[in-house]
Structures are given as structure tokens and as C-alpha cells.
Amino acid sequence: MKFTLTIICVFATGIAVGLTHVLPETLPYSEATTIILYILIAQIGFSLGSSPNLKDLLKEINLKNLLIPIGTIAGTLLFSLITGCIIGKHSPGEWLALGSGLGYYSLSSVLILDLKTSQIGLQAAQELATLAIFTNIIREILSISLIPIIARKFDAYAAVSATGVCSLDVALPFIERQGGKRMVAISVLHGAVLELCAPLLVTLFCMF
Amino acid sequence: MNALFILIVSICIGILFRYKDFFKPSGKIAGATVLLLLFVFGISIGANSYIIENISALGIQSLLLAMAGIAGSVTAVVIIRLKFKRDKQ
């Protein structure tokens, strides 16, 4: 939670700096964010591959446990698409790309910025990227706050699903507190699967 | 596409280097990178007058989309879990 707050503060500070227009508008923001993005992806991938818990994680892979992240993805995409088409303004593909973030705000937003700039121009791409980061930050905060309520009304699996990617890290202590130690492996697996699928799906839907 | 390629390659490199000790702080470095990324991204957003002017509209759309995502996930998993319970019986 502390890290999420730090991230929001840093992001807000960046916006504040941008607001002052002290830096020229013609700076290569898109290129800069793309490079940093690729560095981040490399670090995430490396972290995942070299994780000492990788073997334990792979042991948990079976159809029953994989159905939870599959459900998260399917449910998120469907409801995002419907909501997006009601709001209008963007193409179905773009709404799906936004939903595909699955809570992964840092990666999905900048990835959308990177992929969409050449397609629809920097301005429109920045708007989509902003939607992406806001949507996914709100999802993280909202879903974690709702963990007790969802777990009580439905079950712990639903609470895991609601949190999306952050079931892997940020939400994990809350899920463990709510659902017990047995939910930890499922939560981590859920988050890991989503962490891998998010860039895939975002890339896919950005083509439309 | 580049992003996916980098992801796959870095996972493979990570698996190869699993038993070496020198890359332990990779999580913290990734955290610093996220902060840098969002700072630069934030600057580009702040400098974008259209977004700042429409920030409340964008905020509302984001809230709706976030709620949709949560609702969709929960719905799907509840259905899946119900089906599992039914299959057991």
C-alpha cells in the first residue's frame, strides 16, 4: 500500500511538473517512456524467471486453479467492452485494450502510449494511456478495499479475481488475512498469469 | 511486439541465472524504474492541456471502467465456482 501511495505521489509530481510547462513541449516523451518501459519489462521478466518460488508456482498449475485467472480475464474484458461501448468515444478494440490492463497500471498505460502513438497520433494515444493508468490505479485501490466485502458476500476466490494483477503483490497480505494461507498460492498464481497476459492482451487489442 | 519479445527473453535469461546470487535486488530496481517511468509519463500528461482540461471526464470514465472490470471478474469467478460445486455433487 505504501508503495502504491509513493507511485501516486510521484505520478502526481510529474503531472505538476508538466503543468508548469517549464520543459519544452517538443521533448521526446514518447521515446523516453518507451525506453524506460522496455527496461522495466526486462526487469519484470527477469524477476519472474529468476524467482526462487518459480518451481512452487509451477506446481500449482492445474485446470482448477487456472480457471480463476481465466475467469478474471474473460469477465473483465466482457464488462469493459460493454461499459466502453456505452460510454462511446473509443473503438471496441481500444476499450478492450484498456480493460486488458487487468490492474497493471504502469505497464499497460505506457504500453498503450507506445503502441497507439503511431496509429492514432500522440495526443489520442496519451488520452488512452491516461485512461489506462487511472482505470487501473482505481481498480487496485477499489478492489483491495472491497476484499473483505467480496470475500464475505461471495468467496475468497472472487476477492482474488477482483484485485487483478495485484493479487501477486500489493493485495496479497490482505487476501491472506481474509482467506488464510491456502489462498496465497492461488493468489500468486492468479497474479502471475495475469501479469503475463496483460502485455499480451494489450498488444493484441491495440491492433484494432 | 517488442515488449513481448523483451518479456520472453528476459524471463528466459532469468531462468538461466536462477542460481546466481548477484541479481537479488531486482525487485527494488524494478520499483525504482516504475517510479521513473510514471514520473516521465506524468510530465507528458501534465503538459497535455487537453487531458488536464478534461480530467474530470476522464476520471469518471476510468472509475466506470474500473468498476466494470471488478464486477466482471467477480461475476465470472462466482459462476465458475458455482459450476465447480455443482459438478462435485
Side-chain angles (χ1 to χ4, degrees):
Chain A
M1 253 313 176
K2 216 186 277 182
F3 188 59
T4 304
L5 287 171
T6 310
I7 288 181
I8 292 174
C9 285
V10 168
F11 182 50
T13 308
I15 293 179
V17 170
L19 278 170
T20 63
H21 292 285
V22 63
L23 296 166
E25 263 185 61
T26 49
L27 275 183
Y29 294 114
S30 186
E31 286 81 354
T33 50
T34 300
I35 292 173
I36 305 172
L37 173 69
Y38 290 167
I39 294 173
L40 178 66
I41 291 175
Q43 290 169 342
I44 291 169
F46 184 83
S47 198
L48 207 64
S50 62
S51 163
N53 301 315
L54 193 63
K55 255 197 204 130
D56 300 325
L57 203 65
L58 292 173
K59 248 188 270 171
E60 292 288 336
I61 295 180
N62 55 55
L63 183 62
K64 178 171 180 250
N65 288 342
L66 281 180
L67 276 178
I68 307 294
I70 289 172
T72 304
I73 294 171
T76 301
L77 289 178
L78 180 64
F79 277 51
S80 298
L81 181 64
I82 295 172
T83 305
C85 289
I86 294 174
I87 297 178
K89 185 126 208 262
H90 299 291
S91 72
E94 286 165 356
W95 289 114
L96 283 169
L98 289 172
S100 301
L102 300 164
Y104 207 158
Y105 48 83
S106 55
L107 189 77
S108 63
S109 55
V110 183
L111 191 56
I112 286 174
L113 180 66
D114 179 43
L115 292 170
K116 280 290 191 179
T117 299
S118 48
Q119 228 186 62
I120 57 179
L122 182 63
Q123 176 64 36
Q126 276 184 325
E127 190 182 331
L128 276 177
T130 306
L131 271 176
I133 196 168
F134 285 166
T135 301
N136 290 301
I137 285 180
I138 293 173
R139 178 170 182 158
E140 175 173 306
I141 297 174
L142 197 57
S143 64
I144 291 177
S145 315
L146 290 174
I147 286 176
I149 300 174
I150 295 175
R152 227 174 296 145
K153 190 131 208 273
F154 306 103
D155 63 18
Y157 292 85
V160 168
S161 171
T163 58
V165 172
C166 52
S167 71
L168 177 61
D169 43 32
V170 183
L172 192 56
F174 300 95
I175 289 172
E176 189 184 350
R177 200 188 306 167
Q178 191 70 42
K181 268 231 130 75
R182 62 185 175 90
M183 291 307 296
V184 172
I186 291 169
S187 188
V188 171
L189 177 66
H190 174 259
V193 171
L194 258 53
E195 193 175 71
L196 286 172
C197 289
L200 259 150
L201 292 169
V202 170
T203 304
L204 173 67
F205 292 119
C206 276
M207 297 192 213
F208 302 101
Chain B
M1 275 312 149
N2 297 339
L4 298 177
F5 179 70
I6 294 174
L7 184 65
I8 294 171
V9 168
S10 58
I11 291 176
C12 294
I13 296 178
I15 293 176
L16 283 173
F17 279 92
R18 297 199 72 220
Y19 300 106
K20 311 274 182 181
D21 272 335
F22 43 79
F23 286 113
K24 273 298 136 79
S26 53
K28 282 215 173 122
I29 299 175
T33 308
V34 170
L35 292 177
L36 177 64
L37 183 66
L38 291 182
F39 183 64
V40 176
F41 182 44
I43 297 179
S44 70
I45 296 302
N48 187 323
S49 39
Y50 175 79
I51 291 178
I52 300 300
E53 273 165 40
N54 292 287
I55 204 141
S56 47
L58 288 172
I60 292 173
Q61 289 174 22
S62 299
L63 179 63
L64 289 172
L65 209 56
M67 289 180 353
I70 292 175
S73 307
V74 170
T75 306
V77 168
V78 165
I79 293 174
I80 289 171
R81 293 278 296 160
L82 277 172
K83 185 158 192 303
F84 253 116
K85 280 187 201 157
R86 218 169 281 161
D87 284 349
K88 262 192 184 164
Q89 292 150 357

PDB file of all heavy atoms in Angstrom, chain A residues 128-159:
ATOM      1  N   LEU A 128      -5.682   7.838 -24.213  1.00  0.00           N
ATOM      2  CA  LEU A 128      -5.937   6.432 -23.892  1.00  0.00           C
ATOM      3  C   LEU A 128      -5.036   5.969 -22.752  1.00  0.00           C
ATOM      4  O   LEU A 128      -5.472   5.262 -21.841  1.00  0.00           O
ATOM      5  CB  LEU A 128      -5.679   5.558 -25.118  1.00  0.00           C
ATOM      6  CG  LEU A 128      -6.804   5.412 -26.132  1.00  0.00           C
ATOM      7  CD1 LEU A 128      -6.335   4.568 -27.296  1.00  0.00           C
ATOM      8  CD2 LEU A 128      -8.032   4.793 -25.510  1.00  0.00           C
ATOM      9  N   ALA A 129      -3.779   6.365 -22.814  1.00  0.00           N
ATOM     10  CA  ALA A 129      -2.833   5.945 -21.791  1.00  0.00           C
ATOM     11  C   ALA A 129      -3.234   6.502 -20.427  1.00  0.00           C
ATOM     12  O   ALA A 129      -3.091   5.839 -19.399  1.00  0.00           O
ATOM     13  CB  ALA A 129      -1.421   6.393 -22.160  1.00  0.00           C
ATOM     14  N   THR A 130      -3.737   7.727 -20.431  1.00  0.00           N
ATOM     15  CA  THR A 130      -4.194   8.332 -19.174  1.00  0.00           C
ATOM     16  C   THR A 130      -5.386   7.574 -18.621  1.00  0.00           C
ATOM     17  O   THR A 130      -5.461   7.284 -17.427  1.00  0.00           O
ATOM     18  CB  THR A 130      -4.575   9.805 -19.411  1.00  0.00           C
ATOM     19  OG1 THR A 130      -3.483  10.472 -20.026  1.00  0.00           O
ATOM     20  CG2 THR A 130      -4.928  10.488 -18.111  1.00  0.00           C
ATOM     21  N   LEU A 131      -6.328   7.237 -19.512  1.00  0.00           N
ATOM     22  CA  LEU A 131      -7.464   6.417 -19.092  1.00  0.00           C
ATOM     23  C   LEU A 131      -6.969   5.107 -18.490  1.00  0.00           C
ATOM     24  O   LEU A 131      -7.456   4.654 -17.461  1.00  0.00           O
ATOM     25  CB  LEU A 131      -8.376   6.108 -20.287  1.00  0.00           C
ATOM     26  CG  LEU A 131      -9.505   7.088 -20.596  1.00  0.00           C
ATOM     27  CD1 LEU A 131     -10.227   6.662 -21.855  1.00  0.00           C
ATOM     28  CD2 LEU A 131     -10.474   7.164 -19.434  1.00  0.00           C
ATOM     29  N   ALA A 132      -5.975   4.524 -19.156  1.00  0.00           N
ATOM     30  CA  ALA A 132      -5.459   3.237 -18.696  1.00  0.00           C
ATOM     31  C   ALA A 132      -4.888   3.342 -17.298  1.00  0.00           C
ATOM     32  O   ALA A 132      -5.172   2.519 -16.425  1.00  0.00           O
ATOM     33  CB  ALA A 132      -4.397   2.713 -19.674  1.00  0.00           C
ATOM     34  N   ILE A 133      -4.074   4.368 -17.064  1.00  0.00           N
ATOM     35  CA  ILE A 133      -3.438   4.439 -15.758  1.00  0.00           C
ATOM     36  C   ILE A 133      -4.452   4.771 -14.674  1.00  0.00           C
ATOM     37  O   ILE A 133      -4.428   4.180 -13.591  1.00  0.00           O
ATOM     38  CB  ILE A 133      -2.241   5.418 -15.760  1.00  0.00           C
ATOM     39  CG1 ILE A 133      -1.382   5.178 -14.539  1.00  0.00           C
ATOM     40  CG2 ILE A 133      -2.686   6.867 -15.826  1.00  0.00           C
ATOM     41  CD1 ILE A 133      -0.052   5.864 -14.577  1.00  0.00           C
ATOM     42  N   PHE A 134      -5.366   5.669 -14.943  1.00  0.00           N
ATOM     43  CA  PHE A 134      -6.391   5.995 -13.948  1.00  0.00           C
ATOM     44  C   PHE A 134      -7.259   4.785 -13.638  1.00  0.00           C
ATOM     45  O   PHE A 134      -7.514   4.459 -12.477  1.00  0.00           O
ATOM     46  CB  PHE A 134      -7.286   7.141 -14.446  1.00  0.00           C
ATOM     47  CG  PHE A 134      -6.640   8.492 -14.391  1.00  0.00           C
ATOM     48  CD1 PHE A 134      -7.196   9.570 -15.066  1.00  0.00           C
ATOM     49  CD2 PHE A 134      -5.478   8.710 -13.673  1.00  0.00           C
ATOM     50  CE1 PHE A 134      -6.609  10.826 -15.028  1.00  0.00           C
ATOM     51  CE2 PHE A 134      -4.870   9.953 -13.631  1.00  0.00           C
ATOM     52  CZ  PHE A 134      -5.453  11.019 -14.307  1.00  0.00           C
ATOM     53  N   THR A 135      -7.737   4.133 -14.723  1.00  0.00           N
ATOM     54  CA  THR A 135      -8.606   2.967 -14.547  1.00  0.00           C
ATOM     55  C   THR A 135      -7.940   1.918 -13.672  1.00  0.00           C
ATOM     56  O   THR A 135      -8.544   1.397 -12.732  1.00  0.00           O
ATOM     57  CB  THR A 135      -8.941   2.332 -15.911  1.00  0.00           C
ATOM     58  OG1 THR A 135      -9.587   3.286 -16.730  1.00  0.00           O
ATOM     59  CG2 THR A 135      -9.843   1.125 -15.743  1.00  0.00           C
ATOM     60  N   ASN A 136      -6.690   1.614 -13.978  1.00  0.00           N
ATOM     61  CA  ASN A 136      -6.044   0.520 -13.270  1.00  0.00           C
ATOM     62  C   ASN A 136      -5.608   0.889 -11.859  1.00  0.00           C
ATOM     63  O   ASN A 136      -5.617   0.033 -10.974  1.00  0.00           O
ATOM     64  CB  ASN A 136      -4.884  -0.011 -14.109  1.00  0.00           C
ATOM     65  CG  ASN A 136      -5.394  -0.744 -15.338  1.00  0.00           C
ATOM     66  OD1 ASN A 136      -6.124  -1.722 -15.224  1.00  0.00           O
ATOM     67  ND2 ASN A 136      -5.039  -0.279 -16.515  1.00  0.00           N
ATOM     68  N   ILE A 137      -5.273   2.156 -11.631  1.00  0.00           N
ATOM     69  CA  ILE A 137      -4.967   2.566 -10.257  1.00  0.00           C
ATOM     70  C   ILE A 137      -6.236   2.492  -9.418  1.00  0.00           C
ATOM     71  O   ILE A 137      -6.244   1.980  -8.291  1.00  0.00           O
ATOM     72  CB  ILE A 137      -4.391   3.998 -10.210  1.00  0.00           C
ATOM     73  CG1 ILE A 137      -2.953   4.010 -10.701  1.00  0.00           C
ATOM     74  CG2 ILE A 137      -4.451   4.554  -8.800  1.00  0.00           C
ATOM     75  CD1 ILE A 137      -2.308   5.379 -10.683  1.00  0.00           C
ATOM     76  N   ILE A 138      -7.352   2.999  -9.989  1.00  0.00           N
ATOM     77  CA  ILE A 138      -8.627   2.955  -9.266  1.00  0.00           C
ATOM     78  C   ILE A 138      -9.003   1.506  -8.978  1.00  0.00           C
ATOM     79  O   ILE A 138      -9.463   1.166  -7.890  1.00  0.00           O
ATOM     80  CB  ILE A 138      -9.744   3.658 -10.073  1.00  0.00           C
ATOM     81  CG1 ILE A 138      -9.457   5.153 -10.158  1.00  0.00           C
ATOM     82  CG2 ILE A 138     -11.109   3.422  -9.429  1.00  0.00           C
ATOM     83  CD1 ILE A 138     -10.419   5.909 -11.069  1.00  0.00           C
ATOM     84  N   ARG A 139      -8.771   0.630  -9.973  1.00  0.00           N
ATOM     85  CA  ARG A 139      -9.105  -0.776  -9.770  1.00  0.00           C
ATOM     86  C   ARG A 139      -8.334  -1.356  -8.600  1.00  0.00           C
ATOM     87  O   ARG A 139      -8.895  -2.072  -7.762  1.00  0.00           O
ATOM     88  CB  ARG A 139      -8.815  -1.589 -11.028  1.00  0.00           C
ATOM     89  CG  ARG A 139      -9.117  -3.063 -10.767  1.00  0.00           C
ATOM     90  CD  ARG A 139      -9.101  -3.908 -12.015  1.00  0.00           C
ATOM     91  NE  ARG A 139      -9.440  -5.288 -11.639  1.00  0.00           N
ATOM     92  CZ  ARG A 139      -9.918  -6.188 -12.473  1.00  0.00           C
ATOM     93  NH1 ARG A 139     -10.109  -5.874 -13.730  1.00  0.00           N
ATOM     94  NH2 ARG A 139     -10.196  -7.403 -12.048  1.00  0.00           N
ATOM     95  N   GLU A 140      -7.041  -1.030  -8.547  1.00  0.00           N
ATOM     96  CA  GLU A 140      -6.225  -1.574  -7.467  1.00  0.00           C
ATOM     97  C   GLU A 140      -6.747  -1.115  -6.116  1.00  0.00           C
ATOM     98  O   GLU A 140      -6.994  -1.920  -5.212  1.00  0.00           O
ATOM     99  CB  GLU A 140      -4.763  -1.139  -7.641  1.00  0.00           C
ATOM    100  CG  GLU A 140      -3.897  -1.586  -6.479  1.00  0.00           C
ATOM    101  CD  GLU A 140      -2.425  -1.314  -6.696  1.00  0.00           C
ATOM    102  OE1 GLU A 140      -1.882  -1.742  -7.740  1.00  0.00           O
ATOM    103  OE2 GLU A 140      -1.807  -0.678  -5.823  1.00  0.00           O
ATOM    104  N   ILE A 141      -6.939   0.186  -5.969  1.00  0.00           N
ATOM    105  CA  ILE A 141      -7.357   0.731  -4.678  1.00  0.00           C
ATOM    106  C   ILE A 141      -8.745   0.227  -4.309  1.00  0.00           C
ATOM    107  O   ILE A 141      -8.995  -0.224  -3.181  1.00  0.00           O
ATOM    108  CB  ILE A 141      -7.337   2.274  -4.718  1.00  0.00           C
ATOM    109  CG1 ILE A 141      -5.909   2.767  -4.954  1.00  0.00           C
ATOM    110  CG2 ILE A 141      -7.901   2.860  -3.441  1.00  0.00           C
ATOM    111  CD1 ILE A 141      -5.799   4.258  -5.162  1.00  0.00           C
ATOM    112  N   LEU A 142      -9.666   0.281  -5.279  1.00  0.00           N
ATOM    113  CA  LEU A 142     -11.041  -0.122  -5.019  1.00  0.00           C
ATOM    114  C   LEU A 142     -11.131  -1.604  -4.664  1.00  0.00           C
ATOM    115  O   LEU A 142     -11.779  -1.994  -3.698  1.00  0.00           O
ATOM    116  CB  LEU A 142     -11.884   0.174  -6.267  1.00  0.00           C
ATOM    117  CG  LEU A 142     -13.402   0.218  -6.129  1.00  0.00           C
ATOM    118  CD1 LEU A 142     -13.808   1.232  -5.093  1.00  0.00           C
ATOM    119  CD2 LEU A 142     -14.031   0.557  -7.478  1.00  0.00           C
ATOM    120  N   SER A 143     -10.457  -2.438  -5.455  1.00  0.00           N
ATOM    121  CA  SER A 143     -10.577  -3.882  -5.246  1.00  0.00           C
ATOM    122  C   SER A 143      -9.996  -4.308  -3.908  1.00  0.00           C
ATOM    123  O   SER A 143     -10.546  -5.169  -3.220  1.00  0.00           O
ATOM    124  CB  SER A 143      -9.908  -4.656  -6.379  1.00  0.00           C
ATOM    125  OG  SER A 143      -8.525  -4.401  -6.399  1.00  0.00           O
ATOM    126  N   ILE A 144      -8.876  -3.691  -3.519  1.00  0.00           N
ATOM    127  CA  ILE A 144      -8.281  -4.055  -2.233  1.00  0.00           C
ATOM    128  C   ILE A 144      -9.212  -3.629  -1.094  1.00  0.00           C
ATOM    129  O   ILE A 144      -9.412  -4.367  -0.120  1.00  0.00           O
ATOM    130  CB  ILE A 144      -6.885  -3.429  -2.078  1.00  0.00           C
ATOM    131  CG1 ILE A 144      -5.915  -4.099  -3.045  1.00  0.00           C
ATOM    132  CG2 ILE A 144      -6.383  -3.572  -0.645  1.00  0.00           C
ATOM    133  CD1 ILE A 144      -4.524  -3.527  -3.039  1.00  0.00           C
ATOM    134  N   SER A 145      -9.804  -2.454  -1.238  1.00  0.00           N
ATOM    135  CA  SER A 145     -10.746  -2.001  -0.211  1.00  0.00           C
ATOM    136  C   SER A 145     -11.939  -2.926  -0.103  1.00  0.00           C
ATOM    137  O   SER A 145     -12.502  -3.115   0.975  1.00  0.00           O
ATOM    138  CB  SER A 145     -11.255  -0.596  -0.544  1.00  0.00           C
ATOM    139  OG  SER A 145     -10.207   0.243  -0.927  1.00  0.00           O
ATOM    140  N   LEU A 146     -12.321  -3.535  -1.232  1.00  0.00           N
ATOM    141  CA  LEU A 146     -13.526  -4.375  -1.247  1.00  0.00           C
ATOM    142  C   LEU A 146     -13.266  -5.831  -0.893  1.00  0.00           C
ATOM    143  O   LEU A 146     -14.201  -6.627  -0.834  1.00  0.00           O
ATOM    144  CB  LEU A 146     -14.172  -4.310  -2.647  1.00  0.00           C
ATOM    145  CG  LEU A 146     -14.820  -2.973  -3.013  1.00  0.00           C
ATOM    146  CD1 LEU A 146     -15.280  -3.005  -4.469  1.00  0.00           C
ATOM    147  CD2 LEU A 146     -16.004  -2.681  -2.108  1.00  0.00           C
ATOM    148  N   ILE A 147     -11.999  -6.192  -0.682  1.00  0.00           N
ATOM    149  CA  ILE A 147     -11.688  -7.601  -0.408  1.00  0.00           C
ATOM    150  C   ILE A 147     -12.553  -8.199   0.708  1.00  0.00           C
ATOM    151  O   ILE A 147     -13.154  -9.263   0.514  1.00  0.00           O
ATOM    152  CB  ILE A 147     -10.188  -7.805  -0.083  1.00  0.00           C
ATOM    153  CG1 ILE A 147      -9.353  -7.687  -1.358  1.00  0.00           C
ATOM    154  CG2 ILE A 147      -9.946  -9.168   0.549  1.00  0.00           C
ATOM    155  CD1 ILE A 147      -7.863  -7.774  -1.121  1.00  0.00           C
ATOM    156  N   PRO A 148     -12.667  -7.567   1.859  1.00  0.00           N
ATOM    157  CA  PRO A 148     -13.474  -8.186   2.916  1.00  0.00           C
ATOM    158  C   PRO A 148     -14.938  -8.351   2.501  1.00  0.00           C
ATOM    159  O   PRO A 148     -15.549  -9.385   2.785  1.00  0.00           O
ATOM    160  CB  PRO A 148     -13.362  -7.201   4.087  1.00  0.00           C
ATOM    161  CG  PRO A 148     -12.282  -6.282   3.761  1.00  0.00           C
ATOM    162  CD  PRO A 148     -12.069  -6.302   2.291  1.00  0.00           C
ATOM    163  N   ILE A 149     -15.465  -7.340   1.831  1.00  0.00           N
ATOM    164  CA  ILE A 149     -16.882  -7.377   1.455  1.00  0.00           C
ATOM    165  C   ILE A 149     -17.134  -8.469   0.425  1.00  0.00           C
ATOM    166  O   ILE A 149     -18.076  -9.261   0.538  1.00  0.00           O
ATOM    167  CB  ILE A 149     -17.321  -6.006   0.888  1.00  0.00           C
ATOM    168  CG1 ILE A 149     -17.109  -4.937   1.954  1.00  0.00           C
ATOM    169  CG2 ILE A 149     -18.768  -6.058   0.444  1.00  0.00           C
ATOM    170  CD1 ILE A 149     -17.361  -3.528   1.475  1.00  0.00           C
ATOM    171  N   ILE A 150     -16.272  -8.525  -0.589  1.00  0.00           N
ATOM    172  CA  ILE A 150     -16.444  -9.535  -1.629  1.00  0.00           C
ATOM    173  C   ILE A 150     -16.264 -10.935  -1.050  1.00  0.00           C
ATOM    174  O   ILE A 150     -17.005 -11.864  -1.368  1.00  0.00           O
ATOM    175  CB  ILE A 150     -15.441  -9.304  -2.795  1.00  0.00           C
ATOM    176  CG1 ILE A 150     -15.753  -7.985  -3.486  1.00  0.00           C
ATOM    177  CG2 ILE A 150     -15.507 -10.446  -3.790  1.00  0.00           C
ATOM    178  CD1 ILE A 150     -14.754  -7.616  -4.573  1.00  0.00           C
ATOM    179  N   ALA A 151     -15.254 -11.086  -0.175  1.00  0.00           N
ATOM    180  CA  ALA A 151     -14.992 -12.406   0.392  1.00  0.00           C
ATOM    181  C   ALA A 151     -16.169 -12.879   1.233  1.00  0.00           C
ATOM    182  O   ALA A 151     -16.483 -14.068   1.255  1.00  0.00           O
ATOM    183  CB  ALA A 151     -13.721 -12.370   1.232  1.00  0.00           C
ATOM    184  N   ARG A 152     -16.789 -11.948   1.910  1.00  0.00           N
ATOM    185  CA  ARG A 152     -17.920 -12.314   2.751  1.00  0.00           C
ATOM    186  C   ARG A 152     -19.152 -12.624   1.921  1.00  0.00           C
ATOM    187  O   ARG A 152     -19.863 -13.584   2.189  1.00  0.00           O
ATOM    188  CB  ARG A 152     -18.230 -11.184   3.740  1.00  0.00           C
ATOM    189  CG  ARG A 152     -18.421 -11.677   5.173  1.00  0.00           C
ATOM    190  CD  ARG A 152     -18.584 -10.520   6.131  1.00  0.00           C
ATOM    191  NE  ARG A 152     -17.403  -9.689   6.219  1.00  0.00           N
ATOM    192  CZ  ARG A 152     -17.410  -8.367   6.393  1.00  0.00           C
ATOM    193  NH1 ARG A 152     -18.528  -7.716   6.494  1.00  0.00           N
ATOM    194  NH2 ARG A 152     -16.290  -7.690   6.463  1.00  0.00           N
ATOM    195  N   LYS A 153     -19.415 -11.788   0.912  1.00  0.00           N
ATOM    196  CA  LYS A 153     -20.631 -11.961   0.115  1.00  0.00           C
ATOM    197  C   LYS A 153     -20.531 -13.167  -0.811  1.00  0.00           C
ATOM    198  O   LYS A 153     -21.508 -13.885  -1.033  1.00  0.00           O
ATOM    199  CB  LYS A 153     -20.868 -10.683  -0.699  1.00  0.00           C
ATOM    200  CG  LYS A 153     -22.220 -10.632  -1.383  1.00  0.00           C
ATOM    201  CD  LYS A 153     -22.959  -9.312  -1.138  1.00  0.00           C
ATOM    202  CE  LYS A 153     -24.448  -9.540  -1.217  1.00  0.00           C
ATOM    203  NZ  LYS A 153     -24.988  -9.429  -2.588  1.00  0.00           N
ATOM    204  N   PHE A 154     -19.340 -13.381  -1.391  1.00  0.00           N
ATOM    205  CA  PHE A 154     -19.144 -14.496  -2.310  1.00  0.00           C
ATOM    206  C   PHE A 154     -18.128 -15.466  -1.717  1.00  0.00           C
ATOM    207  O   PHE A 154     -18.459 -16.272  -0.877  1.00  0.00           O
ATOM    208  CB  PHE A 154     -18.708 -13.965  -3.679  1.00  0.00           C
ATOM    209  CG  PHE A 154     -19.641 -12.932  -4.247  1.00  0.00           C
ATOM    210  CD1 PHE A 154     -19.326 -11.585  -4.221  1.00  0.00           C
ATOM    211  CD2 PHE A 154     -20.853 -13.320  -4.795  1.00  0.00           C
ATOM    212  CE1 PHE A 154     -20.189 -10.631  -4.733  1.00  0.00           C
ATOM    213  CE2 PHE A 154     -21.732 -12.368  -5.310  1.00  0.00           C
ATOM    214  CZ  PHE A 154     -21.400 -11.024  -5.270  1.00  0.00           C
ATOM    215  N   ASP A 155     -16.893 -15.423  -2.179  1.00  0.00           N
ATOM    216  CA  ASP A 155     -15.836 -16.194  -1.513  1.00  0.00           C
ATOM    217  C   ASP A 155     -14.484 -15.544  -1.777  1.00  0.00           C
ATOM    218  O   ASP A 155     -14.385 -14.568  -2.485  1.00  0.00           O
ATOM    219  CB  ASP A 155     -15.850 -17.676  -1.936  1.00  0.00           C
ATOM    220  CG  ASP A 155     -15.572 -17.867  -3.410  1.00  0.00           C
ATOM    221  OD1 ASP A 155     -15.040 -16.957  -4.067  1.00  0.00           O
ATOM    222  OD2 ASP A 155     -15.890 -18.957  -3.933  1.00  0.00           O
ATOM    223  N   ALA A 156     -13.450 -16.122  -1.190  1.00  0.00           N
ATOM    224  CA  ALA A 156     -12.120 -15.528  -1.279  1.00  0.00           C
ATOM    225  C   ALA A 156     -11.608 -15.520  -2.720  1.00  0.00           C
ATOM    226  O   ALA A 156     -10.848 -14.641  -3.119  1.00  0.00           O
ATOM    227  CB  ALA A 156     -11.151 -16.272  -0.373  1.00  0.00           C
ATOM    228  N   TYR A 157     -12.014 -16.521  -3.494  1.00  0.00           N
ATOM    229  CA  TYR A 157     -11.566 -16.590  -4.888  1.00  0.00           C
ATOM    230  C   TYR A 157     -12.050 -15.372  -5.673  1.00  0.00           C
ATOM    231  O   TYR A 157     -11.349 -14.835  -6.511  1.00  0.00           O
ATOM    232  CB  TYR A 157     -12.077 -17.869  -5.560  1.00  0.00           C
ATOM    233  CG  TYR A 157     -11.456 -19.127  -5.033  1.00  0.00           C
ATOM    234  CD1 TYR A 157     -11.957 -19.753  -3.899  1.00  0.00           C
ATOM    235  CD2 TYR A 157     -10.359 -19.703  -5.672  1.00  0.00           C
ATOM    236  CE1 TYR A 157     -11.375 -20.906  -3.411  1.00  0.00           C
ATOM    237  CE2 TYR A 157      -9.779 -20.858  -5.189  1.00  0.00           C
ATOM    238  CZ  TYR A 157     -10.290 -21.458  -4.061  1.00  0.00           C
ATOM    239  OH  TYR A 157      -9.725 -22.600  -3.570  1.00  0.00           O
ATOM    240  N   ALA A 158     -13.273 -14.964  -5.392  1.00  0.00           N
ATOM    241  CA  ALA A 158     -13.820 -13.792  -6.074  1.00  0.00           C
ATOM    242  C   ALA A 158     -13.030 -12.547  -5.698  1.00  0.00           C
ATOM    243  O   ALA A 158     -12.797 -11.671  -6.530  1.00  0.00           O
ATOM    244  CB  ALA A 158     -15.293 -13.618  -5.729  1.00  0.00           C
ATOM    245  N   ALA A 159     -12.618 -12.479  -4.429  1.00  0.00           N
ATOM    246  CA  ALA A 159     -11.826 -11.330  -3.981  1.00  0.00           C
ATOM    247  C   ALA A 159     -10.475 -11.308  -4.694  1.00  0.00           C
ATOM    248  O   ALA A 159      -9.989 -10.255  -5.095  1.00  0.00           O
ATOM    249  CB  ALA A 159     -11.627 -11.391  -2.468  1.00  0.00           C
TER     250      ALA A 159
END
